[in-house]
Amino acid sequence: MDPFEATLLILATIGSMVAAVGAWFQDRRISEVQLAAVQRKLDLVMAHLGIPAPEEAEVVRHLENGRAIDAVRAYRKQTGRGLLESKQAVDRIAARLQDDRLKNEF
């Protein structure tokens, strides 16, 4: 095999590997999109049925200790949601906890 053929073989092998990796990433991205769609649908069904989303103990513990940033960080880690969604969810949980405390006082 001459050097030109060897070079072509190496380039073809690298191209095949790149194509395989690209296909794997595409499949992974599609799976993530499908999972996110299922999660949104489940959230809508739970909201329609009036089922509250489960509050993770770690998030509640951080809020009770006054560590809102740690609560957002824990929520993001548990759910995989973005920063804004996580902040809004933690704010809702904090408001619900505050309401529960006020109800228990009276």
Side-chain angles (χ1 to χ4, degrees):
M1 179 181 303
D2 69 2
F4 179 72
E5 290 175 340
T7 303
L8 286 178
L9 183 61
I10 291 171
L11 289 175
T13 303
I14 291 172
S16 296
M17 291 174 60
V18 168
V21 169
W24 179 79
F25 276 116
Q26 180 69 21
D27 287 344
R28 184 173 173 186
R29 188 185 70 75
I30 289 171
S31 296
E32 290 173 357
V33 169
Q34 290 172 339
L35 178 60
V38 169
Q39 287 175 334
R40 281 192 302 275
K41 290 175 183 177
L42 180 59
D43 289 343
L44 289 171
V45 168
M46 289 175 63
H48 178 73
L49 296 175
I51 301 171
E55 297 171 3
E56 299 296 334
E58 185 178 5
V59 174
V60 172
R61 182 173 42 93
H62 286 309
L63 287 172
E64 288 174 345
N65 292 327
R67 296 189 315 258
I69 293 173
D70 291 332
V72 172
R73 187 176 295 129
Y75 187 88
R76 288 187 73 189
K77 182 179 176 185
Q78 293 165 0
T79 63
R81 302 277 172 102
L83 179 60
L84 180 60
E85 285 180 303
S86 298
K87 172 73 168 90
Q88 291 170 342
V90 168
D91 288 344
R92 286 191 300 270
I93 293 169
R96 195 175 316 124
L97 289 173
Q98 182 66 25
D99 289 345
D100 290 346
R101 272 192 227 112
L102 291 174
K103 288 178 186 176
N104 290 335
E105 288 179 4
F106 294 107

